Amino acid sequence: FPSHDSVKVLIAVLNSNFWLSTHVIAEMMGYAGVSLAGLVGHLYLIKYLKTNSENGSVEIQPQSNLKFYNKLILGMIGFGLCFTFLGTMLGGIWADQSWGRFWGWDPKENGALLIILWTAIALHARLAGYIKDFGVAIFSIIGTMVVMVSWFGVNLLGVGLHSYGFTEGLMLNLLIYLGLEFLFIISCIVLTKYHSLKIS
C-alpha cells in the first residue's frame, strides 16, 4: 500500500554537542552585539534630537556625550560582525560534517550572511567617510531590523533545514516592529532636516 505519511525523517545533526554549543553561542553573541548596537543607536538619536520642552525646538547635545555613544555603537557592530562570522563558519563546518555540504543557501544561512554583509557595509561606510555618526546610528537600527528578519522572519517561510519554532502571530508582531522602527528612523531624519533648515 502506498504510504500517505507526510512526516519526513529529519537529518541527524546532533552527533556531537560540540558544534551545537560553539555554533549557536557564537551566533547568539553576534546577533546580541548587533541588536545592542541598535539599542544604543536609539539612545544616540534620542539624545541627538532631544526636544527642549520650553520652546519646542530641537536641541543638539554636547558632542563629547554623543561621541561616547558612537564609539559604543561601532564597537558593538564590530563585535557582532566578528561573532556572527565566526558562528556562520562553525555552522558551515557542522553542516559539512552532518549534511555533507558547507553552504546550501538555506534561508537561515542567508539571514546570517545578510547580517554579516550589513555590519561590514556599516563599518566600511563609516571608515570611508560615506556616513557620519548620525548615519552610523541609523545603520545600527537597520542592523537590528535585519537581525529580527533573519532570526524570526525566515521561520515564516517554512522551508529549509533551519525552519523551526512557533510562528503563530509572528508575522503581525514582526511587521509592527519593523513599521515602528521605520517610523522612528524617518522621524529622526525629518527632525534633523527641519532643524538644519530652521538654523539656516
Side-chain angles (χ1 to χ4, degrees):
F1 295 99
S3 175
H4 297 286
D5 189 1
S6 61
V7 178
K8 298 178 181 179
V9 177
L10 294 177
I11 302 174
V13 295
L14 295 177
N15 296 330
S16 170
N17 284 332
F18 173 77
W19 296 114
L20 171 66
S21 57
T22 55
H23 163 63
V24 172
I25 289 174
E27 286 286 359
M28 293 305 298
M29 289 178 68
Y31 287 15
V34 179
S35 298
L36 286 174
L39 177 62
V40 178
H42 284 85
L43 296 175
Y44 177 95
L45 292 177
I46 290 170
K47 285 199 170 288
Y48 184 79
L49 299 170
K50 184 178 179 182
T51 303
N52 189 326
S53 58
E54 294 179 358
N55 55 21
S57 63
V58 178
E59 180 183 84
I60 304 301
Q61 294 296 300
Q63 288 299 316
S64 59
N65 191 16
L66 292 173
K67 285 292 182 185
F68 170 74
Y69 283 103
N70 185 255
K71 289 179 180 177
L72 200 57
I73 292 170
L74 289 172
M76 289 179 176
I77 289 176
F79 178 88
L81 171 60
C82 291
F83 275 91
T84 303
F85 181 79
L86 175 64
T88 303
M89 292 300 103
L90 291 170
I93 296 170
W94 184 18
D96 185 55
Q97 291 188 359
S98 298
W99 300 329
R101 52 86 171 159
F102 180 85
W103 188 266
W105 298 105
D106 187 84
K108 188 71 79 172
E109 295 170 355
N110 294 336
L113 179 61
L114 281 176
I115 296 170
I116 293 169
L117 292 175
W118 184 257
T119 51
I121 289 169
L123 292 176
H124 282 81
R126 181 65 185 95
L127 288 173
Y130 294 120
I131 58 174
K132 303 299 182 187
D133 294 352
F134 185 87
V136 169
I138 297 291
F139 266 62
S140 69
I141 295 173
I142 297 174
T144 303
M145 296 165 68
V146 173
V147 169
M148 292 301 127
V149 171
S150 300
W151 184 250
F152 297 109
V154 295
N155 284 343
L156 296 171
L157 299 175
V159 296
L161 296 170
H162 294 83
S163 182
Y164 50 80
F166 300 99
T167 58
E168 184 177 350
L170 182 60
M171 173 70 85
L172 179 61
N173 292 331
L174 186 61
L175 289 176
I176 291 173
Y177 164 75
L178 295 175
L180 290 173
E181 290 288 34
F182 274 121
L183 183 62
F184 178 79
I185 290 171
I186 292 170
S187 299
C188 289
I189 294 172
V190 169
L191 282 172
T192 304
K193 296 293 184 184
Y194 171 76
H195 178 63
S196 63
L197 289 173
K198 191 173 181 180
I199 291 177
S200 58

